[in-house]
Amino acid sequence: MASRMRSLLNDPDRYLQSFRLFLEKSTEHQSMREFMERQLPDVIASIGNGKSTINVLSIGGGAGEMDLLILSKIQARYPGVTINNDVIEPSADQISKYKERVAQTSNLGNVKFTWHKETAHEYESRMNTEKKSKKWDFIHMIQMLYYVKDVPATIRYFHSLLESQGKLLIILVSGNSGWETLWKKYGSFLPLDDLCSFVSAGDLPRMLDSAGLKYQLYELPSHMDITSCFIEGDRNGELLLDFLTETLEFSKTAPPELKHQLIEELKQPGCSENRDGKVFFNNNLGVIVIEP
């Protein structure tokens, strides 16, 4: 039975459907927005000192919602400065939505956008082949390190591209989240096919300490309404289960015992809490800001 399970990333359309539903049902973006409003101004306080141009690299920029918020904070801190914003994003659909969002946003006259339809690894390979090593004042990787094969090597590479006052910002699920609980217990039963790795912000300090890097950590509270996951046959519930397990059609392809155990686990305090008859999954995030 287990051999029928396939990674959700094998079906990009279903992945995007489940991802959009996740954003709709969770406070993920609200939590990030709060961080961008409250803490980001301090993080970027010196990245552009004395510069007429600020270079920003977005890795896994998605549809651009967080990118544009970050750019607005950089614009507010460094008014009138030219910003070169390069975006690495493998999904053509996401790039298209990003471009639509830019077209509908005013006050971007001083920002030059360049999109690269490629993965972080493809970008690194291309730069190495072309013998280029452009330096950046601000690099951010928001919820994308799950999709690289070698997390420490990816962090080391992009950290090496920072300018002397630059910063590398990483956002992942928190080591104190329901994701961590779920992955530790069931990760080995799920079909990752080398397409995805279960990494959380809790794994990063060890990697960064061993690389001798300086960093700051922030914890962002977030939750997701997963009540529909417990309604047999509910389409939204099935999509959220796919997203939680990174498994295509998890409800239909998982062995019955695994499905039963995992759904029971989702109700436990290590993953979720019950409020007013609803089940809220612990979707806490960890932010890591790495110094040059």
Side-chain angles (χ1 to χ4, degrees):
M1 284 290 279
S3 60
R4 290 179 57 209
M5 296 170 70
R6 294 169 61 218
S7 168
L8 180 58
L9 293 170
N10 281 308
D11 186 337
D13 286 343
R14 188 162 172 99
Y15 173 81
L16 273 176
Q17 281 177 48
S18 65
F19 174 61
R20 287 185 186 130
L21 182 63
F22 158 72
L23 288 181
E24 183 189 314
K25 296 289 183 184
S26 74
T27 59
E28 171 111 348
H29 274 185
Q30 293 93 306
S31 298
M32 288 187 200
R33 275 195 289 270
E34 211 163 278
F35 174 83
M36 303 304 178
E37 296 291 345
R38 292 181 181 179
Q39 274 103 3
L40 190 65
D42 288 339
V43 171
I44 61 170
S46 60
I47 62 168
N49 283 355
K51 299 195 168 205
S52 57
T53 301
I54 294 173
N55 294 315
V56 178
L57 182 62
S58 163
I59 304 166
E65 188 175 344
M66 288 302 124
D67 285 24
L68 294 193
L69 185 52
I70 288 169
L71 290 171
S72 74
K73 297 301 166 193
I74 295 174
Q75 286 176 307
R77 174 67 183 82
Y78 303 99
V81 167
T82 300
I83 301 170
N84 290 323
N85 186 70
D86 278 39
V87 182
I88 300 168
E89 170 53 55
S91 164
D93 180 78
Q94 293 287 77
I95 289 175
S96 171
K97 287 190 166 44
Y98 195 138
K99 289 178 176 177
E100 283 172 24
R101 185 167 265 125
V102 168
Q104 293 160 8
T105 305
S106 55
N107 306 322
L108 291 173
N110 63 326
V111 185
K112 178 174 177 275
F113 289 90
T114 309
W115 286 273
H116 307 275
K117 186 187 171 297
E118 58 192 353
T119 64
H121 179 69
E122 287 164 351
Y123 175 85
E124 181 180 346
S125 301
R126 180 167 63 81
M127 289 295 114
N128 289 336
T129 301
E130 296 173 8
K131 296 191 166 40
K132 289 180 181 171
S133 62
K134 181 172 178 177
K135 295 286 187 176
W136 302 89
D137 300 298
F138 191 63
I139 301 175
H140 55 89
M141 306 172 165
I142 298 177
Q143 296 288 47
M144 61 70 61
L145 278 176
Y146 318 109
Y147 309 110
V148 303
K149 283 208 167 33
D150 188 334
V151 173
T154 300
I155 293 173
R156 280 197 304 273
Y157 171 71
F158 286 102
H159 177 265
S160 75
L161 305 183
L162 285 179
E163 289 279 17
S164 59
Q165 297 290 314
K167 294 281 197 299
L168 168 59
L169 179 141
I170 296 171
I171 300 182
L172 287 169
V173 297
S174 163
N176 303 312
S177 67
W179 295 99
E180 179 87 345
T181 304
L182 204 60
W183 292 346
K184 281 221 161 83
K185 200 155 185 180
Y186 293 99
S188 61
F189 299 102
L190 300 173
L192 289 180
D193 299 345
D194 282 347
L195 294 171
C196 179
S197 62
F198 291 137
V199 60
S200 77
D203 299 314
L204 260 59
R206 177 178 45 79
M207 298 177 192
L208 301 176
D209 290 341
S210 67
L213 299 179
K214 288 196 305 182
Y215 57 90
Q216 293 166 292
L217 288 171
Y218 305 83
E219 181 90 2
L220 311 186
S222 175
H223 62 261
M224 168 172 53
D225 182 350
I226 60 167
T227 311
S228 60
C229 290
F230 310 104
I231 304 168
E232 188 68 40
D234 185 279
R235 175 167 167 72
N236 280 354
E238 291 186 353
L239 279 170
L240 288 177
L241 282 170
D242 284 12
F243 194 76
L244 284 160
T245 61
E246 288 282 345
T247 302
L248 185 59
E249 303 272 13
F250 175 80
S251 270
K252 295 183 174 70
T253 63
E257 185 58 25
L258 175 62
K259 178 182 169 182
H260 172 74
Q261 288 176 1
L262 188 134
I263 286 175
E264 285 305 307
E265 186 69 37
L266 284 173
K267 298 175 185 172
Q268 301 307 311
C271 282
S272 304
E273 65 172 336
N274 285 283
R275 290 204 306 267
D276 303 323
K278 291 188 170 183
V279 184
F280 291 96
F281 184 76
N282 179 333
N283 187 57
N284 285 6
L285 304 169
V287 180
I288 302 97
V289 178
I290 308 175
E291 308 287 330

